[in-house]
Amino acid sequence: MANIPYRTYLTEEQMPKYWYNMRADMKQQHDPFIHPGTMKPAVKEDLLPVFCEELVNQEMNTTDRYIEIPEQVREFYRTYRPAPLIRAYNLEKELGTPAKIYYKFEGNNTSGSHKLNSAVAQVYYAKEQGITSLTTETGAGQWGTALSMAAAYFKIPLTVYMVKVSSQQKPYRKAIIETFGGKVIPSPSDTTEAGRKILAENPETGGSLGCAISEAVEKAVTTPNSRYVLGSVLDQVLLHQAIIGSECKAAMELLGEQPDIMIGCAGGGSNLGGFISEYMGERLQGKNNIRFIAVEPASCPSFTRGKYAYDFCDTGRMTPLAKMYTLGSDFMPSPIHAGGLRYHGMSPILSKLYHDGMLEARAVSQTSVFDAAITFSRVEQILPAPESSHAIRVAIDEALKCKETGEAKTILFNLTGTGYFDMTAYQQYNEGRMTDYIPTDADLEVGFESLRKLPVNEGLL
Amino acid sequence: MANIPYRTYLTEEQMPKYWYNMRADMKQQHDPFIHPGTMKPAVKEDLLPVFCEELVNQEMNTTDRYIEIPEQVREFYRTYRPAPLIRAYNLEKELGTPAKIYYKFEGNNTSGSHKLNSAVAQVYYAKEQGITSLTTETGAGQWGTALSMAAAYFKIPLTVYMVKVSSQQKPYRKAIIETFGGKVIPSPSDTTEAGRKILAENPETGGSLGCAISEAVEKAVTTPNSRYVLGSVLDQVLLHQAIIGSECKAAMELLGEQPDIMIGCAGGGSNLGGFISEYMGERLQGKNNIRFIAVEPASCPSFTRGKYAYDFCDTGRMTPLAKMYTLGSDFMPSPIHAGGLRYHGMSPILSKLYHDGMLEARAVSQTSVFDAAITFSRVEQILPAPESSHAIRVAIDEALKCKETGEAKTILFNLTGTGYFDMTAYQQYNEGRMTDYIPTDADLEVGFESLRKLPVNEGLL
């Protein structure tokens, strides 16, 4: 115990200078994006109206194992990174487990989450290309905050479509985005065709990430010299988030430690994809046998109850189709508090890995997640975001299994963010007013119906 | 630039093992506390019903230069410390100043401020003494959060009297205290004599720190085996907060740097007292010539417009009297957003240093403070607490003076906390609804009247 500190920070010299591109080590790539108009594989030109060119290049790059992090992005990283690797001595003691528990803490910045890692990269490339305005969507608000911070730093105007239910549950999230100069529009809104269509069909909807994406994409492609930025799902986002895993692996190796199990929450998959990247790359090369576990909410179980099929990334059906685990773009998740995990689909890279048996998945209920969050916060002295607490839940479960079996496994999880803007959820939990939402099979059928109707899924479902 | 990193973290081995006791290097001590009943200097026995014995010992200890930090407290410190020393490269660039700007960032923990440094020490000593419940007050809510975290860790029940206006402005602060198991009572309340008396006189009052202190002290002394803990003003609190200054000095020395100016905000004085302690100790010994600047709100100007006199630490006149700069315990500050600075008095140690000319003071207006906060946040990517932003305001002012004179001074300030729970204030500012409150001389006379009536001040005013 004495030799391993509570917190390990890399020095600036030890910080990664490259993003690790996991796809270079995947023997098979995920199926290509499909253009929604032609229903044929999307090519670079299809994506250029939506994304900056350099980001499209990264999206398509399956061969370069390392991509250099631009100097200005590294400079920005130094304002809040390195993120610490923490040995959870107090949690181990509280649980009485022989397991060693580590977590990477990505919430030590004003956005409160890992989202900043990709936000700054995407804003930087937009600035380089001379883009004059950006749009995006946000669920829990962490991505919107992160992007507004990066946009303020590089001085680019930003419009954020925020899932309506989140903007109501988290008014202060909206305020912080505005403090950094971002313009917030609750979604669905009447500012886009996509929004108006959804409102016409369901005026009372609380919105969803998929729906907010539709609005943000439409706004970007209909505004001159504007582009859209996405905080999750895409390969480019996982690429930028690989800095989590690279820092983590460097720190673990400094300590002489090797994980047996790695755990992350999964909404669109960005934190998990980045967190496991280098270790997964090694596993793909047969160099380790780590168990990787994705944790998702039981209310939005893309991996554990979804279909592996082509689907739109958004509810408005404007985006390219991705081959992924999905509940169907029509699936409207119930308003659980982990807004960042309310997404119908899942990163194509992670979907492929899951399909190939390299990744496990587990669905957990909301109240059990808050149970874990409370246990964790009182001993580790960090108030976790509801999203991150999904990973805590399974880390605790695995540590308790070790207690039963007497095994001293090394468990490593990603604590993606803090819950300072989730206090309404904690209030509900504290007052015993929190309930669980588990969709019935009939609920899921609604989304699956839309998948079966897509010609590109013929024979798949 | 290349040699100095953005962020410097000490290793666990480099972290201080002792609290530095500045009083051991003060040639003259501040005047003693006065017992409110006898109007004679308070002795140890007078304080024991209110505070734990070991804390009373520390309160009275003017001779030991170093006091060992107990192992369990150091263990707790390791859950969130070391706090980084940050080189504000981005702020320097934004201002175009030749000055070198550094800040110690004490907000990187769930309480969002430096308050945790003393909270854990006080709870630890209470636990050691077998105390079974604790009471305290909180203004901005940071102290209450910090204490609830420490109380959860050491498993002691806690009641927090929260200044009513703060509990209304910051409902999520209340929620986070409750998440860690603390019981929150808006003050003034009907649960104490002191509260009922104040409510009877002024039913619409938003409360004040002084008033909340009265309630918490009364509750502690009327509950068996209970004690009161205070987050500021007292010598013991400055002692615990000395860890800020010791870490800071160690980190500056690692970088080969020496400050010319040190700046901190001042409400009760705990962060400033701790922050400057080691450097002030050296100055008292003639070893440096650093300028120390206390920054207070123009709406509550204890140093710049107050009297150096004996006064009660609370509005209910239950506590011992301290010789300090004060606006009078009857002074009811206007509801500015920096709740942590709404206190009529000031640490006796800092008051003595100010009186002796070792410390400067400056009062700044609320809107100018938020101007500075916005400039800072957009380039340094940290959203500061309104309290902390008082220090930012003066750091920027000093850096701009350097720009005029061409001097490359080294400016070091203490960024005590984050503003995540102050979003209503930021909202007001963003929407142009924020105003400044400057008390008139007539406003101040109300408080001074009460001071003149105290026999112990005869001949002083």
Side-chain angles (χ1 to χ4, degrees), chain B residues 254-289:
Chain B
L254 276 179
L255 302 176
E257 290 283 44
Q258 170 78 2
D260 297 305
I261 305 173
M262 288 178 75
I263 302 162
C265 64
S270 74
N271 96 76
L272 181 66
F275 172 59
I276 65 176
S277 56
E278 285 223 38
Y279 283 112
M280 179 61 88
E282 285 194 349
R283 173 149 175 208
L284 291 167
Q285 298 168 67
K287 294 179 183 167
N288 70 43
N289 200 25

Side-chain angles (χ1 to χ4, degrees), chain B residues 46 52 60 102 172 174 221 276 333 339 353 460:
Chain B
D46 295 332
C52 301
M60 305 236 156
Y102 286 91
Y172 292 170
K174 180 169 172 287
V221 298
I276 65 176
L353 291 168
L460 277 178

